[in-house]
């Protein structure tokens, strides 16, 4: 127990310890001197830019990336602009901020991902200072320009630049500044001498920390906590003021008795701790300050940097990697001198017995799940803390990070076996997709390996991923294609069950026939249309048509498209296939849309030619009949000077008769086999409307009327010509005699006809038309005839 607590140092009511994480594996001749250094939190990677102050074009700076244990991950010469700051994102991507405001993004293995600019103003004014920070929205970048203005991007994955207000009276660079996150908004806190200002989107507000030492004439350094809830300020008098980041509450103030500006300062408060604490570093000296007046001092042998963590501060030098933190409460209860806590007693009991779970056997109502879970967590932490992995997480950091994020970190480092083993060991639920994500990344890495053949890799991937749910083989195939392995990509796509995922990549790698076949197999017409339209734009016309001929389903769908969108293309398709029947139909349909008579006749003639080629005489003759009608209409057009395209047969015949083209009308009547009654009615009405009585009489005598002669009588009366009407009364059938005589006003004739037929109804009709004063003799005669008819 004495050995465990040997490096504990008391400060107020808490203890602090500095423990070694690793002896660094790198070989830095000059340590961290002359290096621009940045380390990611949560035991993340370390980046070094060596020789960044050199301006000689022959001696390029070298950018190197290491694990936390100092094992190399990447190294390459820096060929871009002057770098002002390095920093890491929440997903372990490296940000390199250049003097011109350009930010380059690399992954932790040195692969370039993208770049973005912090705006024209930054580019023109140049970067004076910059800070990379983390907010609820992601990773942000804050820049102080040469014009002494601040520009912020709160989330580099969704760049929205904000130019903060000007600081009054600022003549040079502020003595210190930091980025705060309050109320989900990022702000800048800066010190100009003894004055403090907060910059937000709209205003520059002066603020005063409560209880700041009056001896201070300037604030020379500041830092905020990992959670942005607390703030530490160092004055030129050597006092460290600690309080809430909203500057409303003071927690403590300690005199370090050192008035020279420090190299770095970091907050060192453990979550749920009651004591505020900060770490201040000068050359060769590290001081921990808290609530009391005392401090803890550590001497440093090499140049070092501080890396703030959730529950402490990491100290990285050229030779060692250490963790400085407040001793956790559980450790303090177990190991402090004369402790009677259950944990301490259990430790004593363990000295007498070999078993890690011995103590729980003596406890009643102790749920084993918590013990088992803790054991699993500790085994995982030991695995990732291993020197070859180099992720020195504490248990507090692990719980904050979550298993999913840790697995992602291992995957980014290509530590696939360890990531898979941890997933299996922790029994991560399948619905979370953690294991599937690991396997997908592994497969994407596997297909880029050049040492093995396509067949070997495809088989290895299919076997490994056989039982994994939710993995898209198309993504893996895409990675293979991007690596120049087209055949491997095709083999992998065979394992993809969703055609919609296969087709886009097949088109991309110029496997058009296979893409079309897969689309047809899917039964998804939208997908088939997508492929067909793509091929239409990519292939020449001949190759495109030839490919469609080999795929009847695709050809049919394309024809349906052409019927509505591209009639000319449809005609080419029918010509290519010698489909004369469909060509004829196409010409007929086109004729319906044509307004010019000559053009319409020409289209119908083309249709007739195609129908005869197809040996479809019925369609050919029907179309010829329609052409004949159009020609009559053309003659009528010339006669009347009107456009008659679209007239019906009835309208055409009526018009022909109305303008005196009787012969043409009769020819139309014969050609189109118009019923006799219909034709006679049309001609009768037409001649009567023209009052061409002479022609009407000739027409009536030409042959026996199929509609009888009563209509002749009626149309003449309708046009007020009783004289002409009487000419046809004698030709009317006996059944229609009464009507005919009544129509022309011949009461005597009507009476004679009715009496002759002895038809009571007809006699009554004539009686109803007689006048009692002028026709009393005729009425007596009719009544006698009616009485006789009734008796019979």
């Amino acid at each position: 127990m004495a050995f465990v607590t040997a490096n504990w140092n008391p400060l107020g009511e808490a203890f602090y310890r500095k423990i070694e994480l690793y002896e660094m594996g790198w070989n830095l001749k000059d340590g961290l001197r002359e290096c621009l250094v940045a380390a990611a939190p949560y035991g993340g990677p370390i980046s070094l830019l060596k020789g960044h102050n050199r301006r000689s074009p022959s001696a390029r700076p070298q950018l190197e990336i290491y694990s936390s244990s100092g094992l190399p991950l990447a190294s390459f010469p820096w060929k871009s602009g002057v770098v002002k700051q390095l920093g890491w994102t929440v997903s372990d991507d490296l940000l390199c901020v250049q003097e011109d405001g350009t930010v380059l993004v690399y992954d932790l293995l040195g692969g370039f991902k993208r770049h973005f600019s912090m705006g024209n103003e930054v580019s023109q004014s140049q970067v004076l200072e910059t800070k990379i920070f983390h907010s609820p929205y992601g990773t942000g970048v804050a820049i102080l320009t040469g014009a002494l203005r601040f520009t912020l991007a709160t989330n580099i994955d969704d760049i929205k630049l904000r130019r903060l207000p000007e600081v009054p009276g600022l003549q040079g660079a502020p003595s210190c500044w930091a980025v705060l996150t309050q109320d989900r908004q990022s702000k800048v806190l800066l010190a100009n001498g003894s004055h403090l200002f907060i910059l937000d989107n709209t205003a520059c507000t002066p603020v005063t920390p409560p209880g700041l030492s009056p001896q201070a004439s300037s604030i020379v350094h500041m830092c905020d906590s990992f959670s942005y809830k607390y703030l530490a300020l160092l004055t030129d008098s050597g006092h460290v003021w600690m309080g809430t980041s909203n500057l409303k509450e003071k927690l403590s103030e300690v005199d370090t008795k050192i008035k020279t500006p420090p190299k770095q300062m970091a907050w060192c408060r453990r979550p749920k701790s009651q004591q505020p604490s900060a770490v201040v570093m000068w050359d060769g000296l590290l001081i921990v300050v808290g609530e009391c007046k005392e401090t803890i001092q550590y001497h440093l042998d090499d140049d070092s940097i501080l890396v703030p963590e959730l529950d402490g501060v990491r100290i990285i030098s050229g030779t060692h990697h250490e963790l400085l933190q407040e001793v956790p409460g559980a450790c303090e209860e177990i190991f402090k001198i004369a402790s009677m806590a259950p944990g301490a007693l259990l430790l004593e009991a363990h000295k007498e017995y070999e078993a890690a779970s011995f103590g729980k056997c003596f406890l009643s109502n102790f749920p084993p799940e918590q013990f088992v879970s803790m054991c699993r967590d500790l085994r995982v932490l030991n695995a990732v803390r291993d020197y070859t992995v180099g992720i020195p997480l504490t248990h507090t950091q692990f719980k904050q990070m979550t298993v999913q994020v840790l697995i992602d970190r291992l995957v980014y480092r290509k530590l696939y076996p360890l990531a898979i083993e941890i997933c299996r060991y922790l029994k991560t639920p399948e619905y979370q997709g953690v294991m599937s994500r690991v396997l997908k990344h592994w497969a994407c890495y596997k297909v880029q390996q050049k040492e093995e053949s396509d067949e070997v890799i495809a088989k290895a991937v299919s076997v490994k991923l056989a039982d994994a749910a939710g993995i898209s083989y198309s993504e893996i195939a895409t990675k293979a294609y991007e690596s120049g392995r087209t055949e491997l990509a095709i083999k992998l796509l065979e394992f993809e069950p969703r055609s919609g995922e296969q087709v886009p990549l097949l088109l991309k790698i110029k496997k058009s026939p296979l893409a079309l076949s897969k689309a047809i197999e899917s039964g998804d017409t939208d997908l088939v249309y997508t492929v067909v339209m793509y091929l239409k734009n990519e292939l020449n016309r001949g190759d495109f048509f030839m490919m469609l001929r080999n795929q009847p389903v695709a050809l049919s769908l394309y024809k349906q498209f052409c019927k509505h969108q591209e009639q000319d293309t449809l005609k080419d398709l029918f010509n290519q296939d010698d489909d004369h029947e469909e060509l004829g139909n196409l010409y007929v349909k086109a004729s319906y849309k044509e307004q010019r008579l000559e053009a319409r006749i020409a289209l119908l003639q083309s249709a007739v030619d195609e129908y005869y080629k197809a040996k479809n005489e019925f369609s050919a003759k029907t179309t010829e009949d329609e052409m004949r009608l159009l020609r009559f209409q053309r003659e009528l057009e010339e006669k009347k000077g009107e456009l008659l395209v679209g007239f019906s047969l009835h309208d055409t015949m009526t018009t022909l008769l109305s303008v005196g083209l009787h012969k043409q009308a009769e020819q139309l009547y014969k050609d189109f086999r118009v019923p006799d009654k219909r034709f006679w009615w049309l001609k009768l009405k037409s001649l009567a409307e023209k009052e061409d009585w002479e022609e009407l009489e000739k027409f009536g005598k030409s042959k026996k009327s199929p509609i009888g002669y009563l209509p002749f009588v009626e149309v003449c009366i309708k046009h007020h010509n009783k004289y002409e009407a009487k000419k046809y009364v004698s030709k009317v059938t006996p059944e229609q005699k009464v009507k005919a005589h009544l129509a022309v006003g011949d009461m005597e004739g009507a009476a004679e006809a009715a009496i002759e037929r002895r038809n009571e109804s007809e006699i009554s009709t004539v009686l109803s038309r007689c006048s009692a004063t002028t026709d009393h003799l005729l009425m007596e005669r009719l009544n006698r005839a009616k009485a006789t008819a009734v008796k019979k």
Side-chain angles (χ1 to χ4, degrees), residues 61-241:
Q62 188 77 7
L63 183 61
E64 298 176 350
I65 302 175
Y66 296 89
S67 71
S68 286
S69 58
L71 295 182
L73 298 176
S75 177
F76 55 91
W78 184 255
K79 299 180 180 180
S80 192
V82 177
V83 177
K84 298 292 290 186
Q85 185 72 32
L86 299 177
W88 293 90
T89 69
V90 292
S91 56
D92 277 0
D93 284 336
L94 177 62
L95 302 183
C96 305
V97 184
Q98 296 188 155
E99 193 174 43
D100 61 357
T102 303
V103 182
L104 287 77
V105 186
Y106 295 83
D107 63 29
L108 60 78
L109 298 180
F112 177 75
K113 297 181 74 172
R114 62 189 177 94
H115 74 277
F116 61 89
S117 172
M118 291 296 290
N120 291 332
E121 182 186 350
V122 175
S123 177
Q124 294 171 2
S125 304
Q126 301 286 288
V127 175
L128 192 62
E129 296 177 14
T130 182
K131 295 186 187 296
I132 295 168
F133 62 95
H134 300 152
S135 73
Y137 303 102
T139 301
V141 178
I143 286 179
L144 173 64
T145 69
L148 305 180
R149 298 295 296 271
F150 287 92
T151 297
L152 253 69
T154 306
N155 181 8
I156 64 167
D157 294 322
D158 183 19
I159 299 292
K160 294 178 182 177
L161 297 177
R162 291 191 292 137
R163 187 169 183 258
L164 301 185
E166 191 173 0
V167 181
L170 188 63
Q171 300 298 319
S175 53
C176 58
W177 59 283
V179 179
L180 306 177
T181 298
Q182 299 173 351
D183 302 325
R184 300 184 65 83
Q185 183 181 359
S186 297
K187 305 176 182 180
V188 169
L189 175 68
L190 67 89
N192 185 20
S194 60
H195 303 289
L196 277 176
F197 301 90
I198 288 184
L199 301 179
D200 58 19
N201 292 341
T202 58
C204 174
T205 308
V207 290
T208 302
L212 185 65
S213 171
Q215 303 175 31
S217 60
S218 177
I219 298 172
V220 296
H221 217 294
M222 64 174 65
C223 68
D224 45 14
S225 67
F226 200 82
S227 64
Y228 295 102
K229 292 181 179 179
Y230 303 100
L231 179 70
L233 304 174
L234 178 65
T235 66
D236 56 354
S237 63
H239 289 80
V240 177
W241 178 95

Side-chain angles (χ1 to χ4, degrees), residues 566-680:
E566 299 179 3
Q567 294 282 326
D568 289 340
T569 303
L570 189 61
K571 183 168 69 174
D572 293 341
L573 282 171
F574 291 149
N575 271 320
Q576 188 183 50
D577 294 339
D578 292 330
D579 193 341
H580 301 293
E581 179 81 22
E582 288 296 338
L583 274 172
N585 294 339
L586 189 66
Y587 284 125
V588 170
K589 290 178 182 177
S591 72
Y592 294 153
K593 300 176 182 178
E594 182 59 62
Q595 294 297 315
R596 293 174 299 119
L597 190 60
E598 289 295 336
R600 188 171 180 183
I601 293 172
L603 287 169
L604 289 175
Q605 183 60 58
S606 299
V608 170
D609 295 341
E610 297 298 334
Y611 284 138
Y612 277 122
K613 289 178 184 177
K615 298 182 180 179
N616 187 339
E617 294 188 6
F618 175 78
S619 296
K621 290 187 178 300
T622 303
T623 307
E624 286 177 333
D625 286 345
E626 190 168 353
M627 289 173 57
R628 198 172 295 115
L629 173 61
L630 288 175
R631 289 194 178 100
F632 279 120
Q633 291 178 342
R634 180 174 60 187
E635 294 180 21
L636 190 59
E637 177 185 344
E638 294 170 356
K639 183 73 175 178
K640 291 191 66 177
E642 296 178 5
L643 188 64
L644 296 173
V645 176
F647 269 35
S648 67
L649 180 61
H650 177 278
D651 295 335
T652 304
M653 289 184 64
T654 302
T655 309
L656 287 170
L657 291 168
S658 68
V659 297
L661 297 174
H662 300 288
K663 290 183 180 180
Q664 291 86 338
E666 288 176 5
Q667 185 64 44
L668 197 64
Y669 148 67
K670 293 175 183 177
D671 289 341
F672 286 91
R673 297 174 291 281
V674 178
D676 289 348
K677 290 184 179 181
R678 184 179 176 190
F679 176 70
W680 275 68

Side-chain angles (χ1 to χ4, degrees), residues 415-430:
L415 299 173
Y416 304 112
L418 179 57
I420 292 172
E421 191 61 34
I422 289 176
C423 286
R424 289 173 177 164
Y425 179 68
L426 295 180
K427 299 178 180 178
T428 55
E430 187 60 39

Side-chain angles (χ1 to χ4, degrees), residues 314-329:
R314 286 192 287 143
I315 305 167
I316 302 174
S317 69
T319 57
H320 292 83
H321 191 163
E322 300 170 301
L323 174 66
L324 174 61
Q325 66 172 172
E326 180 184 337
V327 176

